[in-house]
Amino acid sequence: MSEQFDEVDKLRDELLQNLPPLVNSLAHYGDQDVLQRIEKVMLEVVVRLSKEETPVLVLQNRSSWANVIFDRNIGLLMKPNVCVTTLRSDCPSSARRFALILKVMSTVYKLIQSDSYATKRDIYYNDPQLYGSQQLVDSVVDDISCMLQVPRRSLHVLATSKGFISGDLCYLEEDGTRVDCISNSTAVSVSSNVSGIKNIVSSAKFVLVVEKDATFQRLLDDNFTTKLFPCIIITGKGVPDVNSRLMVRKLWDTLHIPTFALVDADPHGIEIMCIYKYGSVSMAFEAQSLAVPSLLWLGLLPSDIQRLKVPEKALISLTQTDERKLNSLRNRPYVTCQPAWEKEMEILRNCGWKAEIQALESVAPNFLTTVYLPNKLRYGGWI
Amino acid sequence: MLDDIQASRPPVPGAAQSQKTKLRVIQRFLHRLSLVHSRVEILFKFKSIDYTYHHTFGGKAEARVSGMDQAIVMDSTRYGLCPFSRGPLPSCSRLHPVLGERVELSLSSEAVETGLCGEISFVPMATLGPCMAQYPNWPTRLSRIRVFVYGPCKMPLMRAAGEEPMSFLRKLAASLSWTELGLSGVHYTELQPNEDYPYADIEFLVETDVHPEREPEGSTVIRQEPKPECNHAIEQSITLFFLLQHNDPFQSQLSDFITSEEVLERHLDRLLWLNREKVQASLQSVLQNTLMSYKKRQMAKRKMQSALSVMLNSMTSVVSSSSSARFRTACLDYMRVQDTHELSASLRQSFQRITDSRFVPSCGCRAGKIEEGVNFHQNGSGTREDLVLKRAHQRGQTSCGSKKQCSEKTNVTPSSYCPSTSRMTIFLMQPSQSQHSHLGNTTPSSSSSGTSEFENEQVEKEWLQEIENIPEWD
């Protein structure tokens, strides 16, 4: 059984030898520091009002690729001098956003003062008519986090996690609750307070990041974590939330074991994998704590579709949207430094087919857990 | 072509009043004539025992409106009116006419029997003024609707003294769906003399909503003290033009045209009643289009009030609950107040004042010259007008054409006093272009928003796009 992980162990040694220098992520700022930062913003508004000038808020643009740079060891990082968006308080088109930022900031101020925490959903339901949508609150919280240069956790704002985790892992929550992922027959929700997790205990050989919840559940049903014990599997259920990404990063920082991705062989799957590996443009200001650049692509590789002779009826034609997404991915800065990934994308484009992980079922029942993944791990079939 | 009409009469006892009445009638006529024939320069001079009046009507083409048999050229700078009562504030003095759809009028049998033949149509046109596009947040109030009727030769239809307005026009107050236009209602009012504005055929007062700034649910709107708000709100009015057109291919003599116009004028009220559904629909439509910007403005105003309330509450909440003496003192010092209660009031006033005085140089609206703007620092800072001036200067607002005042009255001087004669001189100067029926299709549109407005709309769009793009929704 030990041969099973020879290649994984070798990979781990290799990764440990090439560990990049530790980069400081947005540290957990002290409450007093965050309060002072909020006061500074408020005071600037007061100063402008006292000068009879229109109050403005300057936000870093979190949606432009022009505002990020790629660092092989970190992922997508926000540039030091980025394009900014100036919000005026006296313009109907920007006044609402301006007002909501101040409103959430005052809520954060009270939370910190009372040393209490709230989820973004709590904030939304505090005045749903004012906010209009949960998405708006999420965006405003991230804007504030970016503007004050503090992680969301330091704002005393939590988010309900959507991710699940299972495998050889035990840890303590910040409040002292012991979480044992291995003894649970079902998966455990990813903590809402990842930064507060301590005493992580695991002898896992690797972490497998699974794109979809359906595949994750299938792995649980097939006792994957037992068959390939010891390992950890985690899913962010599609596009990952911040907590799932924080958790993957936390496991890497703590355990320094290889992290693999199991995603569909389609542009969307590749993009999700890139978010785990390199981060996203919108959260580039917090890339250091969210991305795991050492993550490797285990499957489903487009070349596997050809190699395993997956029946055509299990494949889906690439749509125009897929092709556009694929071209967009190939132009991204981080893909150019991954020749093997580029090659797989080329295969995907040339064959004109895409495949979901479930397509392996058409090769043989339980093919994924009994043949595909064990062999991939045994023979180092990652890129 | 230059016509010189001179009227010299020996002084008649008790005739002064009669002369003044005549002067007013002529003034009104010329006023209204020049409104749609602005290329024609009319030099009007009136001299009596008591005073001398000298005025030039028209002579300046600003807004060209085509789409009718004859394009009309409006001297919008004269009647756009300056929105501000004090201070040389930059403002757009132009009218922005909105042309309605032509309505073919069916002729009544009585009109046909009296010799009125051919096709008669009517085109409504309306403007909202004064233009406030450069002051998107300044409080405005729609106060009046003035109606002007012009015959087929684009001559104003004048009523005799004491004559009631046409019943069709009077009933417009009840026949149009004002609520659909966003107005509580309108009612007929006696005409108010206004030296700056031509005497209308009929005038309506617009009912203003007592609480125009409705509070959005779930938020607390800044309670504005009503008096200051009313004091600086700009009153806007709608000018509605009834432009009649007549086409009879069998008419060729000038006398025929004059006769037809006279007959049409006599039967106009009945004709309008006969075609009331079409006419009212057309009027409703043109008013709807004219009031579009006004309604948008009111909506934006409500949005701004709601946002200001949230900003204010958030700031006062932070300052009030702060345990940092340094921060609290800094806030109080900057706003020059003693305590947080005063701070709240001061912040509210500042927010409101700064928001209201937002100035957006618009490429669509030409601002008048700022003549004395440099004095804003000395002249009682703190008012909205001062802030506007400050902003206009900060944004590098330059002169885009001097604004002309509506009338120039010559005061009585000893040398001009002439007891023996009263002399009225009218110069009519008609440039060759004035009769061109096609003056291009450059129908003036309502003022476009400024670059800044556009940029902020872009910001809003980008933000919404950004929200859609951000995948990290937990």
Side-chain angles (χ1 to χ4, degrees), chain A residues 32 35 38-40 42-43 45-55 60-63 85-100 102-106 109-110 113 120 127 129-130 133-140 142-143 152 159-162 239-243 245 275 279-280 282-283, chain B residues 136-137 216-219 300-301 303-304 306-308 310-315 317-319 321-324 326-327 330-332 334-336 343 346-347 350-351 353-359 381-383 386-387 390-391 394-395 452-453 455-460 462-474:
Chain A
Q32 204 54 42
L35 290 179
I38 293 173
E39 285 166 1
K40 192 182 167 198
M42 296 292 179
L43 189 60
V45 175
V46 171
V47 169
R48 286 192 75 99
L49 284 173
S50 71
K51 290 180 185 171
E52 298 197 323
E53 291 170 1
T54 305
Q60 286 154 325
N61 190 333
R62 296 188 298 111
S63 62
T85 303
T86 304
L87 290 184
R88 293 174 65 93
S89 68
D90 64 352
C91 176
S93 59
S94 59
R96 183 164 177 246
R97 191 181 179 188
F98 188 107
L100 292 185
L102 291 193
K103 170 79 179 170
V104 174
M105 233 181 239
S106 74
Y109 196 83
K110 281 182 185 165
Q113 280 185 323
K120 291 193 282 187
D127 197 342
Q129 282 176 327
L130 172 67
S133 77
Q134 175 71 56
Q135 284 190 346
L136 219 57
V137 177
D138 298 348
S139 173
V140 166
D142 289 338
D143 278 341
R152 192 178 64 203
T160 312
S161 295
K162 68 169 185 170
V239 178
D241 58 344
V242 170
N243 285 333
R245 290 164 60 189
I275 291 172
S280 59
S282 60
M283 296 295 284
Chain B
N137 298 334
E217 288 178 37
S219 68
K301 179 81 180 162
K303 204 171 158 184
M304 281 301 307
S306 173
L308 283 182
V310 175
M311 291 175 208
L312 182 67
N313 290 341
S314 307
M315 290 189 64
S317 163
V318 169
V319 178
S321 61
S322 174
S323 56
S324 164
R326 206 170 128 199
F327 168 64
C331 289
L332 298 178
Y334 273 112
M335 295 308 290
R336 293 171 190 168
L343 178 74
S346 177
L347 287 175
S350 296
F351 258 127
R353 199 170 53 243
I354 287 167
T355 304
D356 285 355
S357 61
R358 180 167 176 240
F359 175 73
S381 64
T383 65
D386 294 327
L387 269 178
K390 190 176 171 182
R391 289 178 174 200
Q394 279 171 346
R395 302 189 76 145
S452 178
E453 187 72 31
E455 281 170 1
N456 281 311
E457 282 174 10
Q458 282 295 109
V459 167
E460 181 79 354
E462 280 173 16
W463 188 43
L464 293 173
Q465 186 62 48
E466 190 182 312
I467 289 168
E468 283 174 16
N469 290 342
I470 292 174
E472 288 79 16
W473 304 130
D474 302 356

Side-chain angles (χ1 to χ4, degrees), chain A residues 7-206:
Chain A
E7 289 298 321
V8 176
D9 288 339
K10 277 186 205 167
L11 174 65
R12 189 188 181 202
D13 293 341
E14 205 176 303
L15 291 173
L16 287 173
Q17 279 173 11
N18 299 318
L19 265 183
L22 199 64
V23 183
N24 281 334
S25 59
L26 290 182
H28 182 80
Y29 285 83
D31 288 348
Q32 204 54 42
D33 192 6
V34 181
L35 290 179
Q36 280 174 5
R37 286 171 190 235
I38 293 173
E39 285 166 1
K40 192 182 167 198
V41 173
M42 296 292 179
L43 189 60
E44 278 167 13
V45 175
V46 171
V47 169
R48 286 192 75 99
L49 284 173
S50 71
K51 290 180 185 171
E52 298 197 323
E53 291 170 1
T54 305
V56 293
L57 291 176
V58 180
L59 301 179
Q60 286 154 325
N61 190 333
R62 296 188 298 111
S63 62
S64 170
W65 279 91
N67 275 357
V68 294
I69 46 169
F70 171 62
D71 183 314
R72 187 186 288 260
N73 294 322
I74 300 167
L76 294 175
L77 275 174
M78 192 161 263
K79 282 180 184 171
N81 297 314
V82 296
C83 298
V84 292
T85 303
T86 304
L87 290 184
R88 293 174 65 93
S89 68
D90 64 352
C91 176
S93 59
S94 59
R96 183 164 177 246
R97 191 181 179 188
F98 188 107
L100 292 185
I101 288 175
L102 291 193
K103 170 79 179 170
V104 174
M105 233 181 239
S106 74
T107 306
V108 165
Y109 196 83
K110 281 182 185 165
L111 285 172
I112 297 173
Q113 280 185 323
S114 59
D115 194 24
S116 54
Y117 288 80
T119 62
K120 291 193 282 187
R121 201 143 190 83
D122 292 334
I123 294 175
Y124 167 68
Y125 278 115
N126 195 29
D127 197 342
Q129 282 176 327
L130 172 67
Y131 293 113
S133 77
Q134 175 71 56
Q135 284 190 346
L136 219 57
V137 177
D138 298 348
S139 173
V140 166
V141 169
D142 289 338
D143 278 341
I144 293 171
S145 179
C146 185
M147 184 165 64
L148 301 182
Q149 286 293 295
V150 295
R152 192 178 64 203
R153 167 77 190 163
S154 298
L155 300 177
H156 284 225
V157 178
L158 307 174
T160 312
S161 295
K162 68 169 185 170
F164 281 124
I165 190 163
S166 183
D168 182 22
L169 179 69
C170 286
Y171 57 86
L172 287 181
E173 291 273 15
E174 193 176 37
D175 61 0
T177 310
R178 184 171 181 275
V179 180
D180 186 351
C181 299
I182 195 162
S183 61
N184 278 311
S185 54
T186 53
V188 174
S189 284
V190 171
S191 172
S192 296
N193 179 13
V194 176
S195 59
I197 289 176
K198 52 198 174 190
N199 295 356
I200 293 177
V201 179
S202 173
S203 56
K205 293 284 187 184
F206 63 93

Side-chain angles (χ1 to χ4, degrees), chain B residues 2-5 41-45 425-429:
Chain B
L2 187 70
D3 289 338
D4 188 350
I5 303 168
E41 189 171 358
I42 305 164
L43 310 174
F44 177 45
K45 190 175 181 184
T425 308
I426 299 176
F427 298 96
L428 277 173
M429 194 170 77

Side-chain angles (χ1 to χ4, degrees), chain A residues 294-339:
Chain A
S294 61
L295 181 137
L296 293 159
W297 190 359
L298 186 68
L300 179 62
L301 303 180
S303 58
D304 292 341
I305 302 173
Q306 296 174 332
R307 188 171 54 82
L308 299 170
K309 295 189 170 49
V310 177
E312 270 195 25
K313 64 177 181 185
L315 305 177
I316 307 162
S317 297
L318 277 182
T319 63
Q320 282 187 342
T321 314
D322 289 328
E323 285 180 13
R324 277 199 298 272
K325 171 63 78 181
L326 197 58
N327 289 333
S328 146
L329 281 169
R330 294 176 73 189
N331 290 328
R332 291 193 187 167
Y334 43 63
V335 173
T336 49
C337 70
Q338 295 275 359

